[in-house]
Amino acid sequence: MFRAVVIAVVIGLGSVGITFWALGENIRTALSVPYWAYLCGLGLACLNYLSGALRLRWLARHAGAELGSRAALRAYALGLTSAAITPSSAGQAPAVAFSLTAGGMPAATAWTINVRVWALDLVFLGWSFPVSVLVLGRSTRILGNAQPELVAIGTFACALLVVAVLIFRLRWVTGLAAGAMRLPGLRRWRDKATDFLARVENASTGLRRAPLRLQGALHSATFLVYFTTYFTFYVMVASMRPAAPLLPTMASAQVPSVASSFFPTPGGVGLLELGTASLMRLSTRSATATAAPVAEQEPERAEDLGGPAGGAVIVAAVDDASKARAPVAAAILAWRVFTFYLRMLVGPVLSGAAWRRGARSGRDAPTG
């Protein structure tokens, strides 16, 4: 695990350096983020952990298992750590299952909870990702000449189809997967795969039949898990650019975050920083292009206004253009402190005992 953490940190720091270079900023601006932004980031990180742990507790109770607050927090934190140090965040679900089973929960129940977390995440991303595409399409030129509304509708339709199949017609997917296990070379894993797919389908059905009150609470907790992540980025950017727009800034964090899930680096690091930097750069160009013509037109307004009033108008227009060009790479680094590097510390601290129990049981297990 230590080696994986080192590799992730090295790649992450390299990506940060490239981000500063891509935005044309000096690395010394990393110290320019005000202390209050870090305090807000810490508070949002705590809310993220509490929301994730509470969601696990509710899911465990629905599955008929008891899960204490400390055990739920430990499982969630360990999952975030594993997501940060494994390619494409693939280690998150196994780490959560390991933590839950180390606390005495049956493996089948632990994986049922994981599948239901996966379903809740898909529902949130199914509606929020198209909204982010629409917001970015209208605030930047990322879509070129395409109509952002049409692109957003197409994205939403595709996401809705995927979510509908995974929640209401999951047996189609499990049936195809079970059929694939009959192919030569895969038959040896057929029995285990069949059991796992049946567990996945049962977990999805159980969540769909949960009481509406519980479903509302679970979706609210899921919203907080993601909102705190993206809103942290807005806080960091707003501390550097007070006029930063809320939704475009948060969308600039979500779109690369989703894309980085398919990137083969620890926690999607690299693509996330560079993708966010690119979107922020597009936003900067759009804001600057909007502010510059206004500044050019102000001299005429100054003549009409006369005296200090006209000069104040010019200064205000120039100030708006300067804010649009304010450094943002430091904000990206501060955001990653709470959504990447902090996770490598919190997970091991909270789950040290679980790791030791797992290692001890592995040594005591009979061999041969």
Side-chain angles (χ1 to χ4, degrees):
M1 182 178 180
F2 177 76
R3 181 181 301 177
V5 170
V6 171
I7 293 175
V9 170
V10 170
I11 297 177
L13 292 178
S15 301
V16 168
I18 297 175
T19 299
F20 275 88
W21 172 80
L23 292 176
E25 299 177 18
N26 194 307
I27 194 69
R28 288 176 295 183
T29 61
L31 301 176
S32 59
V33 178
Y35 74 91
W36 63 262
Y38 282 102
L39 291 178
C40 289
L42 183 60
L44 289 168
C46 291
L47 182 57
N48 180 283
Y49 278 93
L50 292 176
S51 301
L54 189 59
R55 183 173 65 168
L56 288 179
R57 287 201 67 190
W58 288 338
L59 287 171
R61 186 181 305 168
H62 180 62
E66 288 296 328
L67 182 63
S69 299
R70 189 170 182 178
L73 182 60
R74 180 174 62 239
Y76 180 70
L78 184 59
L80 292 183
T81 300
S82 297
I85 63 177
T86 54
S88 304
S89 304
Q92 183 169 7
V96 172
F98 166 80
S99 182
L100 294 177
T101 54
M105 183 180 292
T109 304
W111 278 103
T112 296
I113 292 174
N114 265 318
V115 171
R116 292 174 178 175
V117 168
W118 174 59
L120 290 167
D121 290 343
L122 284 176
V123 170
F124 173 82
L125 294 174
W127 66 264
S128 63
F129 187 76
V131 171
S132 292
V133 172
L134 175 62
V135 169
L136 288 177
R138 300 190 65 171
S139 60
T140 69
R141 296 181 180 178
I142 187 175
L143 300 179
N145 295 325
Q147 292 291 330
E149 293 81 6
L150 296 179
V151 176
I153 291 173
T155 304
F156 178 76
C158 293
L160 183 63
L161 177 62
V162 172
V163 170
V165 169
L166 293 176
I167 293 180
F168 299 103
R169 290 294 182 268
L170 186 60
R171 61 178 180 273
W172 294 351
V173 180
T174 56
L176 289 175
M181 298 307 296
R182 299 190 181 96
L183 297 175
L186 299 178
R187 293 174 182 173
R188 68 180 71 179
W189 297 293
R190 181 180 176 183
D191 293 338
K192 292 183 178 179
T194 301
D195 292 340
F196 175 76
L197 292 172
R199 193 182 307 152
V200 169
E201 189 169 350
N202 291 334
S204 178
T205 303
L207 181 61
R208 191 172 68 247
R209 295 175 179 174
L212 292 178
R213 182 177 180 181
L214 176 60
Q215 291 192 42
L218 289 171
H219 287 296
S220 297
T222 302
F223 175 83
L224 281 177
V225 165
Y226 283 95
F227 174 79
T228 51
T229 300
Y230 306 140
F231 190 69
T232 299
F233 180 61
Y234 168 75
V235 169
M236 300 305 165
V237 174
S239 69
M240 307 293 289
R241 297 180 178 180
L246 175 62
L247 292 181
T249 303
M250 294 178 65
S252 297
Q254 185 188 30
V255 171
S257 296
V258 175
S260 66
S261 300
F262 305 95
F263 199 60
T265 58
V269 68
L271 177 64
L272 201 156
E273 289 87 352
L274 295 177
T276 303
S278 299
L279 290 176
M280 292 304 298
R281 192 173 185 178
L282 288 174
S283 299
T284 300
R285 288 177 177 175
S286 299
T288 304
T290 301
V294 175
E296 292 176 357
Q297 295 172 4
E298 295 307 335
E300 297 180 1
R301 293 180 57 189
E303 292 179 0
D304 296 336
L305 293 173
V313 171
I314 297 176
V315 171
V318 174
D319 185 58
D320 289 341
S322 299
K323 288 179 180 179
R325 292 189 294 268
V328 74
I332 295 176
L333 175 58
W335 174 53
R336 295 298 278 160
V337 166
F338 293 104
T339 60
F340 185 72
Y341 299 104
L342 181 65
R343 295 175 177 180
M344 298 181 190
L345 175 65
V346 175
V349 168
L350 294 180
S351 59
W355 279 111
R356 288 193 294 270
R357 284 197 298 270
R360 190 181 303 115
S361 64
R363 290 194 301 267
D364 297 340
T367 58

